[in-house]
Amino acid sequence: MRQFFAILAISIVAVSGPARAADDLAKGNYVKECIDAASKTHSIPAEILLILLNVENGRLGKVSQNTNDTVDIGPMQVNQIWLPKLAAHWRASREATYRALRDEFCANVEGGAWILRQALDEADGDLWEGIGLYHSHNERHKATYRRLVLAQGRRLQREAVAETGSTERGAALTRGGR
């Protein structure tokens, strides 16, 4: 997971300006704080948000064209169909909401977490159904997305175990163990 925070931080630093923000980003603090705040605000495990960020594979400033003539915006690849509802939720204009989703990491993660919360509420708290609904209401698309989320979760878990294992082995070697 630390590696994922680092990758996110590097991608954000590439488009950020102020030196202090770059320092915080380089440490991963900014990314972690944004994810933790969205997690707490919307009662969603931070790990789920990390997995969705990984699956969506968006970047700040990135707007991706979809085959249905809509676009996905920023790191969480928030679909433009959510602009009116998010704008109302944030009490902002659609244009300001679009720019925030595209250009501000915390706003994008908060927006994505809010959308996931809507999906989880619609699914009566069923995590997997909510994750599917985050992506689509089409059964085939939901199933495909859930498989992607599960695969990414497993991959991140393997990386975390490998990182922990190598850290523990390194600590044992420095203590004189094997």
Side-chain angles (χ1 to χ4, degrees):
M1 294 257 189
R2 272 187 254 160
Q3 180 183 16
F4 185 67
F5 276 125
I7 291 167
L8 277 174
I10 290 166
S11 68
I12 293 169
V13 168
V15 296
S16 67
R20 185 179 183 288
D23 289 344
D24 286 345
L25 291 173
K27 297 174 193 164
N29 291 338
Y30 182 74
V31 170
K32 183 177 183 333
E33 288 171 8
C34 292
I35 292 168
D36 287 347
S39 167
K40 184 176 180 181
T41 299
H42 299 291
S43 301
I44 297 168
E47 294 82 2
I48 297 296
L49 295 176
L50 278 170
I51 292 168
L52 293 183
L53 278 161
N54 203 327
V55 168
E56 293 298 338
N57 198 30
R59 300 284 179 263
L60 281 178
K62 181 178 180 181
V63 177
S64 306
Q65 184 68 46
N66 293 317
T67 57
N68 65 355
D69 292 327
T70 64
V71 296
D72 291 335
I73 307 161
M76 297 270 307
Q77 291 289 274
V78 173
N79 191 278
Q80 77 181 59
I81 63 169
W82 285 99
L83 285 173
K85 289 181 181 178
L86 270 172
H89 171 66
W90 287 345
R91 294 182 177 93
S93 70
R94 286 180 69 175
E95 295 77 22
T97 300
Y98 174 85
R99 284 192 308 275
L101 288 171
R102 184 189 64 200
D103 300 331
E104 298 175 24
F105 182 78
C106 283
N108 189 275
V109 171
E110 198 288 328
W114 182 80
I115 293 166
L116 180 56
R117 171 48 48 206
Q118 306 309 300
L120 290 167
D121 290 348
E122 182 180 338
D124 294 322
D126 181 319
L127 180 64
W128 284 110
E129 180 64 14
I131 287 171
L133 289 170
Y134 176 81
H135 180 70
S136 176
H137 279 75
N138 174 291
E139 290 301 323
R140 186 173 47 101
H141 295 312
K142 284 192 306 189
T144 299
Y145 192 74
R146 285 190 297 250
R147 282 192 294 277
L148 287 172
V149 168
L150 182 59
Q152 287 300 326
R154 287 179 173 159
R155 185 185 66 76
L156 289 172
Q157 183 180 31
R158 283 191 306 273
E159 287 178 9
V161 166
E163 184 178 300
T164 302
S166 63
T167 302
E168 289 171 358
R169 283 191 298 276
L173 289 174
T174 61
R175 289 189 309 262
R178 292 184 181 249

